[in-house]
Amino acid sequence: MLAYVSLATGLLCATALLVGFAATAFRDDYRFWPPGADEEKRRVYLSCSRGFALCTLAVVALDAGSATIPLWSRAVGGVVVIFAVGLLAKSGFDLGEEETTGRVGELRTDGLYRYTRNPQNLGYILLFWSSAVASASLLVGILAGVLTIWMAAQSLIEEPWLRAQYDGYAEYARTVPRFIGIRTFHRVVDAIRSTRGDTDS
């Protein structure tokens, strides 16, 4: 019962954010995300996103093992959880606190942002889906699906704002994919080759 209460609360938090995203997308006179200098909207976003995360943790604890998943799959999911946490930490460090919370800062095109314009969004998607597998919970899978829609919508509605705030963003967007694409893999291969070249020399 408590698992379903946590699920419902998490879905409510996500729905509030998606309503704000929809208002941003369809109303020219309103922007919920990114909040820029609007501290009230930032607090609403952070409250809902943190509430969603806490509800997901509760569902993981309360509903773990409810689905039948091979043990090796759960082990792989656990490994991917660790990788996703590292990806989030690195991308958060690369972007900085100001930009992560939707404030105007600097256009970041280095670090993980050389390979994808939204490494944090990818990290959260990976974290939640791998958590669903590792915990063998269908309810966590539902939350992961909702989060995927949330991350995709957020990345889309913030693009016009980013283009307006940063002179170089349009060119950056032309050369780096929104999530992952062929260019991402080419850049990763080039980085590996460059590292090997430095090591050999």
Side-chain angles (χ1 to χ4, degrees), residues 1-11 59 62-63 138-139 142:
M1 181 63 181
L2 286 177
Y4 287 97
V5 171
S6 299
L7 172 67
T9 305
L11 293 176
V59 174
L62 295 167
D63 194 54
L138 178 61
L139 298 186
I142 292 172

Side-chain angles (χ1 to χ4, degrees), residues 17-37:
L17 293 178
L18 290 172
V19 169
F21 294 163
T24 302
F26 296 110
R27 287 181 53 183
D28 294 333
D29 60 340
Y30 181 81
R31 188 186 72 244
F32 174 72
W33 180 268

Side-chain angles (χ1 to χ4, degrees), residues 77 79-92 112-113 116-132 144 147-148 151-152 154-155 178-180:
V79 172
V80 178
V81 165
I82 296 171
F83 173 79
V85 170
L87 178 62
L88 283 168
K90 170 62 175 166
S91 58
L112 293 177
Y113 290 84
T116 170
R117 303 202 301 272
N118 295 283
Q120 289 194 63
N121 297 44
L122 283 172
Y124 279 117
I125 292 171
L126 192 60
L127 175 63
F128 275 69
W129 280 112
S130 58
S131 295
L147 177 115
T148 302
M151 291 291 113
Q154 181 173 309
S155 68
R178 176 176 285 115
F179 294 111
I180 294 178

Side-chain angles (χ1 to χ4, degrees), residues 5 14 23 31 43 49 52 80 85 87 98 120 133 144-146 152 164 168 170 182 185:
V5 171
R31 188 186 72 244
R43 283 194 294 270
S49 60
F52 183 87
V80 178
V85 170
L87 178 62
E98 293 288 313
Q120 289 194 63
V133 174
V146 172
I182 297 299
F185 293 104

